[in-house]
Each structure stands twice: as C-alpha cells, then as structure tokens.
C-alpha cells in the first residue's frame, strides 16, 4: 500500500516539474512574434533622390475615421524649398485590395516648400500607403509613405 | 492524505475558474474598448441644416415621418419601412412602399453620424436623403409641388413658425417635379426659375425637419457595452455583462482571425465606407452596381452640399469635395452597415440576400469572388464551433 503512495507522490512530483518547466518556457517566450513592419518614417528621400520629403499630420495626431489635413514638405538635395510643384496623390491598403476611401488633394501652398493636403481619411486600423508623384523645375520623382494605425 | 486531496481539489478549482475568465492581450483590450458605446462622441452640429437642433423642427419632422399623407396615394410614410418598433427597419429583403424597391431598408440608430446615405451613398446629408424617397415612384411616389401644397394646407402655421413665410402658390401647378411622370416634368419645366426655387426650398425644409427628428435616433447600450466597460475598468462583470466562453471566443475572432473589425470598427461597428465583399446579386432585380453609379447621382443632386439649399459655409462639404469618383474599388461596393442590433433584424445585405447570421458568416468565410469588380475579402478557415461563436458574439450587440 505504502509503495503505491510513493509512486503517486513521485508521479505528482514529475507532473509538478513538468508544469514548472512549461511555466518557465511560456513566461520567458516573447508575447507575440515581432514581425518587421513597413518603414513608417515621416521624412525620406524620394525614390530617385531628387527631393527630401516629409509628411506629417497638420494637427500632430492622426484621427481615425475623420477628414484631416497633412503637410507635405519638399526640399531639394541642397536643402532649398521646392515651390510650385505639381503633386499627384494615390494610395490604399496593400493588404485589403482597396485604394484610399477619399481623394486627397493639395489645397494650398504655405511657403517654405510646405504643401497642405486635405481630404485624407483613415477609415480602419492597419497598414496604409500614400504615394506622391512630384514634378517641379528640379525634375519628376516619386515617394511612398507608410502610415500604420 | 486528506490535506493532499484538498490541495489537489483546490488546484483543479482554481484552474477551472481561471479558464472561464476572459483572457485578452493589451492590444485586444484596446480594440474592445474602441468598440464600446461609451466611446461614441457627442453628435456634432450639422451646419448644413440650421434647423438640425431646433426642437420645433424635430417635432414637425416627427409628424411628417409618420404621416401617411406624405405619399401620392396616402398609404406610405417614412415609418412604413422605417418601423419605430423594429429598429426603424421592416424585416423585408427589399423595402415595399408604393411598389417593391431594389434595396433593404436600413436601420436608423445613429444615422445622423453617417457621412453618406443609402447603401450606395447617393446622398450626402441626412436632410437630402430624407426627401429622396418622397419622389421615388416605388417609395412614396409623390411630387415636389404636391408636397409643398400639402405642407401649406396641413402644417402651414407650424412650418412658417420654424422656416418663415411659405411662398405664394398662386399660379403654381398642383403636380410638378423634375423627376415625375411626363405631365409632372412638363409642368415643372413650365414654371419660372423663381417658382422652382421656392418649391425646392420648401422641399429642402421638409428634409431638414425630418433630419432634425432623426438626429434623436441613437444606438442603445447592449450587453457587449456592459462587458467592454467592465473589461476596461477592471470591474467584476455582473449579471448579463458576464460573457460565456463561446461569446468570448466570438469576440476574439471578430477582432482577430476573422478580420470583421477591419470594416466594422468604432463604437457603431462601421467605417462609414463602401466595400465590395462579393455579395451576390438578386436574380429578379435590375442590375445593381453599388457605389460606382451613386457618384454621378450625388454630384447631380441639386440638394447636395455644394447646392443652393445648404445652410452654413462650404467648409462642411469635405466628404463631397474629396469623394473618390472613378476607382474600380467602387464597383458593387456598398456601405458597411452598423452591427448594433443586427442579430434581431434579418435578412442581411443590401438586398436581403442572406436570411440568417449563419449565412452571413458562411459567406465571409468562403469569400466567393464578386460577379463584377473585385471582392476585398479573403477566404477564412473557420470551424463550426468558431462560426457559432461569431454569431453568439453578434447577438450580444442586440441584447
């Protein structure tokens, strides 16, 4: 009889050890696999290196589901402001087969290479892309910004 | 020995209780909190309708909403399809007014928060929406001058107290409209520009009164909201705020693997946008291409935000100004409906294509291609248990 209890205790002991090992494994494992997201920098060189572009929300914060305006600032390689550029905007959500829910447009030139872009709307969380085709005296170039909400 | 058994029994009990507790990651908790009704902001003023928050206008609007006289033959009102005791919808696959229409009646809770109206967004304000069925031959089937005459006869004093003097109707035809039958269109064309403008103004004001009433129709708190509030505050859920394991699984799927929350987001469970999700057409209805055909209609509408009947300044017209006009994504794209209350109002989709939530979930899992345009949804591997869990969760938005 006594030996039966001994086996039972040994079994419990082993089970406890297993639970302990599992606990260590689970507790030390990372919460979720860290996937590498898209480049979300707000300032970057355009694809052919003609301009430095920066793209920021005019009010500083991105609001979900509301029309908002952003500022696109364009400088040449030498740091001069780009004036009178023609800018075409497109974009969408690469993971959802759809383009932008609105047609944002340049509505104002604010000086010092800053262009106001109105009519942006981010209707869902996730990975958005905004492409700008820029054309000025310095030449034509494109740039893509990623916005992750 | 007894002690050992006690310890084991306690351990088992602790494990079992632990399993029943919702276990959400911080990201999941953040998403759940964003869906709760307490995050719904206060209703913004509608500057395009200066009567939007005038109580007398809302009162007149409510009278008109339920008035059968607001139709050609005195048998149909807004409330015929938007039934007050049925979440302001009619449980039919396609609405029936004077005739059978091509689309499902939309529920109205929170409608004043929409940027676009109808399933395809062919109107851009609540007040311009409200007057559209009045002249649709399948809905209320009336005409513009007849409505203006009717308002004067039945509600003249109430109207003038809110909107100012009615125009002089002498010499104006009893039945005339740019959208009516041949005789009505001819009568409309025979009217002077001033007369037409005067009638249009009365017509727009009818819409503004009805819109003022509809602003009071707001979503109500549900079991989900009580659950979400307790989760956010860390309070112990009580009574019906306790979710079953199935409902918790459904919620996790909704905001995770099933991707429902991509479009059904925010406290109204809608992104207010248009999507092609491959919903099949109905065999005996006319061709329906959704949003792509609505763009021209809203641009041509004399009552749109750019038109002469808008109050306030043009700054309120951002949605129309920055509207997407010709992208392929608009083909067979329809508005994301709110899911609040959806479980108790089958059938589903823009023409009532699916008779149960099980069918809806099966459609999204299968993700069949669209008959025209490109569906945005991808196939999902969902077990029977997971499908049932999604439906169980959706029901918490109706209780």
């Amino acid at each position: 009889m006594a030996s039966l209890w001994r086996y039972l205790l040994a079994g419990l002991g082993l089970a406890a050890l297993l639970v302990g090992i599992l606990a260590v494994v689970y507790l030390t494992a990372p919460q979720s696999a860290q996937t590498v997201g898209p480049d979300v920098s707000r300032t970057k060189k355009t694809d052919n290196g003609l301009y430095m572009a920066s793209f920021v929300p005019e009010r500083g914060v991105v609001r979900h589901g509301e029309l908002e305006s952003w500022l696109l600032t364009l400088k040449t390689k030498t740091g001069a402001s780009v004036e009178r550029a023609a800018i075409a905007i497109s974009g969408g959500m690469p993971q959802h087969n759809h383009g932008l829910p609105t047609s944002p447009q340049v509505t104002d030139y604010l000086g010092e290479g800053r262009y106001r872009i109105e009519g942006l709307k981010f209707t869902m969380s996730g990975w958005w892309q905004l492409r700008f085709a820029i054309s000025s005296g310095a030449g034509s170039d494109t740039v893509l910004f990623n916005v992750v909400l | 020995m007894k002690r050992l058994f006690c310890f084991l029994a306690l351990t088992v009990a602790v494990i079992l209780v632990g399993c029943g507790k919702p276990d959400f990651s911080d990201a999941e908790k953040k998403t759940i909190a964003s869906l709760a009704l307490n995050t719904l902001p206060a209703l913004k003023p509608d500057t395009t309708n200066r009567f939007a928050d005038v109580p007398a206008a809302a009162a007149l609007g409510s009278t008109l909403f339920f008035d059968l006289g607001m139709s050609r033959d005195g048998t149909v009102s807004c409330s015929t399809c938007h039934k007050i005791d049925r979440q302001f919808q009619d449980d039919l696959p396609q609405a029936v007014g004077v005739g059978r229409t091509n689309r499902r009646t939309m529920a109205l809770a929170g409608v004043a928060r929409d940027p676009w109206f109808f399933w395809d967004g062919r109107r851009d304000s609540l007040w311009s929406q409200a007057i559209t069925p009045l002249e649709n031959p399948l809905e209320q089937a009336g005409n513009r001058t007849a409505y203006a005459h009717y308002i004067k006869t039945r509600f003249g004093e109430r109207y003038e107290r809110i909107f100012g003097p009615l125009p002089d109707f002498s010499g104006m035809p009893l039945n005339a409209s740019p959208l009516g039958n041949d005789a009505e269109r001819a009568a409309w064309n025979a009217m002077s520009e001033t007369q037409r403008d005067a009638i249009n103004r009365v017509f727009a004001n009818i819409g503004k009164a009805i819109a003022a009433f509809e602003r009071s129709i707001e979503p109500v708190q549900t079991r989900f909201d009580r659950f979400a509030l307790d989760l956010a505050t860390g309070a112990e859920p009580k009574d019906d705020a306790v979710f079953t394991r199935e409902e918790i699984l459904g919620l996790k799927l909704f905001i995770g693997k099933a991707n429902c929350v991509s479009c059904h987001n925010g406290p109204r469970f809608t992104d207010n946008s248009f999507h092609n999700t491959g919903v099949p057409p109905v065999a005996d209805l006319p061709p329906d291409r959704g949003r792509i055909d609505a763009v021209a209609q809203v641009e041509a509408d004399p009552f749109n935000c750019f038109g002469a009947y808008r109050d306030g300044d043009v700054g309120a017209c951002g949605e129309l100004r920055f509207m997407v006009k010709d992208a392929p994504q608009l083909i067979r794209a329809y508005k994301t409906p709110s899911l609040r209350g959806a479980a108790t109002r089958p059938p589903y989709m823009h023409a009532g294509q699916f008779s149960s939530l099980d069918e809806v979930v099966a459609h999204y899992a299968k993700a069949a291609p669209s008959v025209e345009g490109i569906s945005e949804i991808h196939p999902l591997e969902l077990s029977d248990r997971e499908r049932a869990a999604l439906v169980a969760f959706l029901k918490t938005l109706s209780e």
Side-chain angles (χ1 to χ4, degrees):
Chain A
M1 203 57 213
S3 64
L4 182 67
W5 284 114
R6 210 173 292 157
Y7 279 120
L8 198 65
L9 269 177
L12 276 172
L14 282 172
L17 191 66
L18 190 68
V19 167
I21 291 167
L22 284 175
V24 168
V25 168
Y26 274 103
L27 289 174
T28 54
Q31 278 290 308
S32 60
Q34 292 291 315
T35 48
V36 181
D39 167 21
V40 292
S41 51
R42 295 265 165 93
T43 300
K44 52 171 75 171
K45 228 183 230 168
T46 52
D47 296 330
N48 294 320
L50 289 185
Y51 306 104
M52 275 305 283
S54 87
F55 183 54
V56 292
E58 190 167 4
R59 291 197 189 181
V61 288
V62 189
R63 287 165 306 158
H64 199 122
E66 286 186 46
L67 287 174
E68 45 183 27
S69 59
W70 286 52
L71 298 178
L72 181 74
T73 306
L74 298 174
K75 304 273 181 192
T76 62
K77 273 184 284 192
T78 57
S81 301
V82 178
E83 308 209 339
R84 288 189 293 279
I87 299 164
I89 306 156
S90 61
M93 295 193 86
Q95 293 161 326
H96 290 279
N97 299 340
H98 66 73
L100 297 173
T102 54
S103 298
Q105 293 157 23
V106 175
T107 55
D108 209 357
Y109 178 64
L110 306 172
E112 295 164 345
R114 291 178 305 144
Y115 296 82
R116 177 179 283 133
I117 292 161
E118 283 189 86
L120 273 157
K121 192 175 182 182
F122 300 104
T123 45
M124 55 173 83
S125 305
W127 173 21
W128 294 82
Q129 291 185 322
L130 284 141
R131 291 182 204 87
F132 297 91
I134 302 150
S135 192
S136 82
S140 294
D141 209 347
T142 54
V143 63
L144 182 138
F145 286 95
N146 294 295
V147 177
V148 177
L149 295 180
Chain B
M1 212 68 270
K2 237 183 183 176
R3 244 182 243 168
L4 182 65
F5 275 117
C6 274
F7 172 72
L8 283 175
L10 261 174
T11 311
V12 169
V14 165
I15 289 168
L16 282 181
V17 167
C19 286
K21 275 218 163 180
D23 174 26
F24 296 104
S25 69
D26 288 347
E28 285 175 324
K29 282 184 183 168
K30 200 176 149 211
T31 305
I32 294 166
S34 74
L35 295 167
L37 194 60
N38 64 313
T39 63
L40 189 72
L43 189 57
K44 282 188 200 149
D46 176 4
T47 55
T48 73
N49 174 6
R50 63 194 168 97
F51 308 98
D53 295 308
V54 174
L60 177 60
S62 112
T63 305
L64 299 177
F65 189 92
F66 296 99
D67 182 9
L68 294 172
M70 293 294 285
S71 58
R72 184 184 64 197
D73 55 7
T75 57
V76 179
S77 68
C78 307
S79 68
T80 302
C81 298
H82 297 289
K83 294 182 190 302
I84 190 169
D85 55 345
R86 289 297 307 137
Q87 300 182 46
F88 292 93
Q89 57 84 48
D90 56 10
D91 302 309
L92 299 170
Q94 296 102 35
V96 178
V98 168
R100 176 189 167 213
T101 72
N102 310 331
R103 297 266 177 83
R104 173 89 173 88
T105 303
M106 300 195 91
L108 295 186
V111 69
R113 297 162 181 278
D114 286 353
W116 298 104
F117 300 84
F118 296 111
W119 281 99
D120 53 13
R122 65 185 181 276
R123 290 293 179 269
D124 68 342
S125 70
L126 189 51
W127 59 270
S128 66
Q129 187 284 330
I131 50 182
T132 306
L134 296 177
E135 291 189 303
N136 182 330
L138 299 174
E139 297 185 62
Q140 280 149 286
N143 66 76
R144 224 164 277 185
T145 56
Y147 285 119
H149 285 290
Y150 178 74
I151 289 290
K152 183 172 188 175
T153 313
R154 282 291 305 274
F155 308 108
E157 196 193 321
R158 281 176 77 182
Y159 176 98
E160 290 190 332
R161 258 188 279 135
I162 302 160
F163 299 107
L166 277 157
D168 176 13
F169 285 100
S170 56
M172 290 218 213
L174 286 176
N175 296 291
S177 165
L179 307 175
N181 58 32
D182 290 348
E184 287 160 2
R185 285 206 305 275
W188 181 259
N189 291 332
M191 288 164 64
S192 72
E193 195 58 48
T194 315
Q195 286 178 322
R196 289 199 289 247
D197 178 64
I199 294 292
N200 279 344
R201 202 158 292 280
V202 177
F203 199 48
N205 286 340
I206 290 172
K208 288 176 182 178
I210 295 173
F213 160 63
E214 290 180 305
R215 282 169 69 81
S216 66
I217 306 169
E218 283 274 62
V220 293
Q221 202 190 51
T222 64
R223 268 188 69 210
F224 164 74
D225 300 304
R226 292 189 277 279
F227 170 84
L229 198 59
D230 285 339
L231 185 70
T233 58
E236 189 67 34
K238 287 198 190 84
D239 307 322
D240 75 348
V242 180
F243 266 24
T244 65
R245 254 179 254 186
E246 189 183 36
E247 288 161 350
I248 288 165
L249 173 63
L251 172 55
K252 275 181 173 281
L253 289 165
F254 187 91
I255 62 174
K257 179 177 148 189
N259 299 321
C260 313
V261 81
S262 294
C263 298
H264 293 287
N265 60 35
R268 291 186 59 224
F269 286 78
T270 171
D271 63 353
N272 292 317
S273 195
F274 304 93
H275 303 276
N276 179 335
T277 59
V279 175
V282 175
D284 62 338
L285 290 180
D288 190 332
R289 302 181 77 223
R291 179 66 176 160
I292 191 87
D293 287 344
V295 168
Q297 294 178 43
V298 70
E299 282 192 305
D301 178 24
F303 301 101
N304 74 18
C305 198
F306 291 153
Y309 306 99
R310 176 204 73 230
D311 299 315
D313 72 70
V314 75
C317 307
E319 292 285 351
L320 188 60
R321 184 179 176 199
F322 300 109
M323 166 172 76
V324 177
K325 292 180 183 171
D326 55 3
Q329 69 192 21
L330 304 184
I331 300 169
R332 281 193 70 77
Y334 298 89
K335 188 157 70 181
T336 311
S338 171
L339 297 182
R340 291 188 169 274
T344 48
R345 50 164 205 266
Y348 302 104
M349 305 304 174
H350 62 271
Q353 284 92 333
F354 302 134
S355 59
S356 68
L357 286 177
D358 296 319
E359 280 183 41
V360 175
V361 172
H363 168 79
Y364 281 107
K366 191 177 171 213
S370 179
V371 293
E372 197 192 357
I374 296 168
S375 171
E376 290 178 26
I377 58 172
H378 307 294
L380 280 170
E381 287 289 338
L382 289 178
S383 67
D384 290 350
R385 180 170 156 261
E386 288 175 324
R387 288 175 196 220
L390 271 172
V391 173
F393 164 65
L394 289 172
K395 287 180 179 168
T396 70
L397 292 168
S398 292
E399 293 166 347

